[in-house]
Amino acid sequence: MLPWLHVSRQIIRSQRWFFKMAVIMLQSWSDSLKEAKKTALLQDGKRKVHYLFSDGKEMVEEYDVKTDDLTVRKWRKKSTLGAQGPWEVEVGDTSPVLTSEPHVIMESSSNPVLMRKDTKTSFQWRVRNLPYPKEVYSISVEPEERCCVIRTTNKKYYKKFSIPDLDRCRLPLESSALSFSHANSTLIVSYQKPREIVSLEQDLLRELKKIKATSEGDTDCRTQ
Amino acid sequence: MAAQMAATKVPEVRDITRIERIGAHSHIRGLGLDDALEPRQVSQGMVGQLASRRAAGLILEMIKDGHIAGRAVLIAGQPGTGKTAIAMGIAQSLGQDTPFTAIAGSEIFSLEMSKTEALSQAFRKAIGVRIKEETEIIEGEVVEIQIDRPATGTGAKVGKLTLKTTEMETIYDLGSKMIESLSKERVQAGDVITIDKATGKITKLGRSFTRARDYDAMGAQTQFVQCPEGELQKRKEVVHTVSLHEIDVINSRTQGFLALFSGDTGEIKSEVREQINAKVSEWREEGKAEIIPGVLFIDEVHMLDIECFSFLNRALESDLSPVLIMATNRGITRIRGTNYQSPHGIPIDMLDRLLIIATSPYTEKETRQILKIRCEEEDVELSEEAHTVLTRIGLETSLRYAIQLISTAGLVCRKRRGTEVQVEDIKRVYSLFLDESRSSQYMKEYQDSFLFNETQGTQMETS
């Protein structure tokens, strides 16, 4: 057998292995979602779902009842010493909760703010308070660091962000899926959702609708 | 002349950093030993007690070594012979990271928790765990600091801080605490700083290279650093020391809404403690954490009762136990909670586990030396004769009484606008304030005219 043929076959094999692995990984995330203890709550036209995973992490998702859009997804985990950490927002409004206690240092409200707001077909990030023209921005994918980077030529804004959904399913990042637009001093970055994610989300939503949701707000949360 | 001087005296500018008050042992800075652990006659606020200080130095080495757990030391001696001073000296020489917990024997008798719980908490406060934790820091070059004082002169200051990296720029709103520490650290535009987001601690890394051409007056030690790259906020692993008790509290606090009201910890369940012990030893095996055994100091240890002593006996055997230092000024006395007499009021089986350091009364020369150190600490100037008189008072009454007279005599002297305390000032306060023996004498003479003297019962028990 010719050596190059041998090599190419190996490549094919390794690629096949990669896809197999990807399917397994995809499987493992959807499995852990299935295994997580879930509690659902219908409130203010939103379906709120609380997940408790076997490793102690908690996740809360909020879906709009009418459109089935994901409006909020946040995480909470325990620190090394066992203290309850704060909620970390992955999707939805990230503006900090105003507390009465005096803050030490806080970002000024005039700074650019990044928040994620997905649509059915794409992941979407909005950066508000960015008044500069469209030519200033450049957005790229860093496959080895598994993140996207927003750069500005006037060196005013720089942000690295990962796409946790793709990380959880171990899917590769494609620069072709990325696009952006700018209007009303808001930069909108979109990333086309891969097929696997779309089907996973549809499955999940179907699953969630099966959970009997309590409509009363003050019932005990079983998973907590 | 003196009045004029006082009138024109500029009001002293108070430094915010020095807010400590002068306590009974604030002149102690260490044990006063040299590298070979030989005690110097006068050093680090310590005077005399050479043998006990050397012994304490050996204990200190053992603690620093950190391998030996659960040793107990007793410092015994008459009142006012420097037992607490030696313990404080040990605490001072241990440094920042080694936990030193000091309690008084009577502190554990509380209605809110049992004696043994209070003791276990004290034990666990004295064990440190050095562990890595992730924190959020802000690292960047200062572009601008803007601090607005309110027009009325009072009220909270408002501030903004602009930081940049090579890629971006962000404006931060500052709280009043942050403004204060920024001005304390003398942060100015062009400095590269890091701020711990949770605690607000500022660290100056140096000045930015872009400012190297500024013709500012700069110290020779000014370091130039590159402007940081990438994002301003970074996650960084920092090593810090927490006590086992703190981990207990974090893990036992009632969750959610109730946590707002239960400020204090109350009793901690033994299951929680066991769980944490297991977790900590797991961390230690994985190399994630390091255990730093510290020191638990129990002053007035004769106030503990027999239950506490048996608990201590047991607790000292655990490998997660700190070095225990106890101090007492009692001789042979009743063990609290029993009718048995024992040396120092400590059961014999407990005494058997202890290394005992004895302190002896100070000599005249040493008393003189201590009084001199205290005068410096309390900022009182003493004339030579007054010093001699005070030393005599110290020898005849007690060292504590003589030390008390320093600040009072200083006040008397200041009221008569003197600069140096004279013998008259000492005499004045000596006549104004009774010492213990004169007070007892007075009591014996005038007992009949005090209230409740008609019921001459048995003497009050004080042991």
Side-chain angles (χ1 to χ4, degrees), chain B residues 346-391:
Chain B
I346 299 174
I348 299 291
D349 58 339
M350 185 71 200
L351 275 175
D352 197 27
R353 289 171 181 268
L354 303 176
L355 292 166
I356 300 176
I357 300 175
T359 55
S360 48
Y362 290 109
T363 63
E364 184 183 342
K365 211 175 142 200
E366 286 162 353
T367 311
R368 202 183 163 82
Q369 196 56 254
I370 293 169
L371 287 172
K372 194 174 156 214
I373 291 171
R374 283 306 299 186
C375 284
E376 277 164 22
E377 185 72 21
E378 291 177 28
D379 218 6
V380 172
E381 288 209 28
L382 217 57
S383 73
E384 199 54 39
E385 299 87 61
H387 197 168
T388 315
V389 171
L390 203 59
T391 311

Side-chain angles (χ1 to χ4, degrees), chain A residues 40 47 203-213:
Chain A
R47 183 189 300 276
D203 288 348
L204 178 66
L205 202 61
R206 224 172 293 131
E207 203 68 33
L208 289 181
K209 284 189 176 160
K210 283 187 211 151
I211 304 174
K212 220 177 122 232

Side-chain angles (χ1 to χ4, degrees), chain B residues 61-307:
Chain B
E61 281 306 298
M62 187 176 85
I63 298 163
K64 276 186 182 161
D65 214 25
H67 286 306
I68 293 174
R71 282 302 161 84
V73 180
L74 176 70
I75 308 175
Q78 292 93 319
T81 49
K83 299 178 295 294
T84 314
I86 287 178
M88 290 301 146
I90 293 177
Q92 294 280 343
S93 357
L94 277 176
Q96 280 273 300
D97 255 1
T98 318
F100 182 92
T101 313
I103 62 165
S106 39
E107 229 169 90
I108 60 160
F109 298 97
S110 145
L111 285 176
E112 269 166 25
M113 57 175 86
S114 67
K115 292 173 273 189
T116 50
E117 170 68 19
L119 272 177
S120 345
Q121 288 196 2
F123 257 74
R124 292 175 77 85
K125 273 180 202 160
I127 294 281
V129 179
R130 205 204 302 265
I131 192 161
K132 270 191 205 137
E133 261 208 309
E134 222 178 39
T135 54
E136 254 181 13
I137 61 153
I138 303 167
E139 187 179 87
E141 181 187 326
V142 179
V143 180
E144 191 187 4
I145 305 175
Q146 184 193 335
I147 294 167
D148 299 328
R149 286 171 188 82
T152 51
T154 51
K157 289 180 197 166
V158 193
K160 279 194 189 334
L161 171 72
T162 313
L163 290 176
K164 70 164 187 186
T165 66
T166 51
E167 308 284 352
M168 68 183 291
E169 211 176 281
T170 304
I171 304 167
Y172 290 93
D173 285 336
L174 304 173
S176 55
K177 212 177 119 195
M178 202 66 203
I179 293 173
E180 209 166 88
S181 48
L182 276 171
S183 51
K184 209 170 82 190
E185 293 278 334
R186 300 210 177 83
V187 174
Q188 47 180 328
D191 287 341
V192 178
I193 58 171
T194 63
I195 303 170
D196 186 337
K197 223 185 164 191
T199 61
K201 191 174 171 284
I202 301 173
T203 320
K204 242 181 174 176
L205 299 178
R207 275 191 80 72
S208 171
F209 265 117
T210 50
R211 301 283 181 139
R213 282 159 175 273
D214 286 7
Y215 293 106
D216 281 351
M218 274 178 288
Q221 73 278 18
T222 311
Q223 271 199 6
F224 287 101
V225 290
Q226 292 290 356
C227 181
E229 289 173 2
E231 281 178 282
L232 270 163
Q233 284 200 38
K234 288 169 188 143
R235 287 188 160 272
K236 208 174 183 181
E237 280 204 323
V238 289
V239 180
H240 64 165
T241 315
V242 289
S243 73
L244 277 183
H245 176 68
E246 282 167 311
I247 305 180
D248 287 351
V249 171
I250 289 169
N251 285 282
S252 73
R253 188 159 291 173
T254 33
Q255 303 281 310
F257 188 58
L258 277 174
L260 279 174
F261 299 101
S262 57
D264 209 25
T265 55
E267 299 218 351
I268 289 163
K269 287 192 194 118
S270 60
E271 296 95 75
V272 174
R273 291 224 166 95
E274 273 161 31
Q275 234 175 322
I276 282 156
N277 286 353
K279 200 58 166 288
V280 167
S281 54
E282 189 184 299
W283 288 338
R284 184 163 61 164
E285 274 164 30
E286 290 168 4
K288 280 188 198 158
E290 195 186 331
I291 291 176
I292 309 164
V295 177
L296 173 62
F297 174 58
I298 307 180
D299 211 347
E300 314 285 334
V301 74
H302 49 264
M303 294 307 291
L304 299 187
D305 61 10
I306 188 80
E307 283 172 50

Side-chain angles (χ1 to χ4, degrees), chain B residues 41-61:
Chain B
Q41 180 61 31
V42 181
S43 173
Q44 295 184 314
M46 287 287 211
V47 178
Q49 304 293 8
L50 298 183
S52 355
R53 271 160 58 201
R54 189 177 155 83
L58 292 174
I59 301 290
L60 180 66
E61 281 306 298

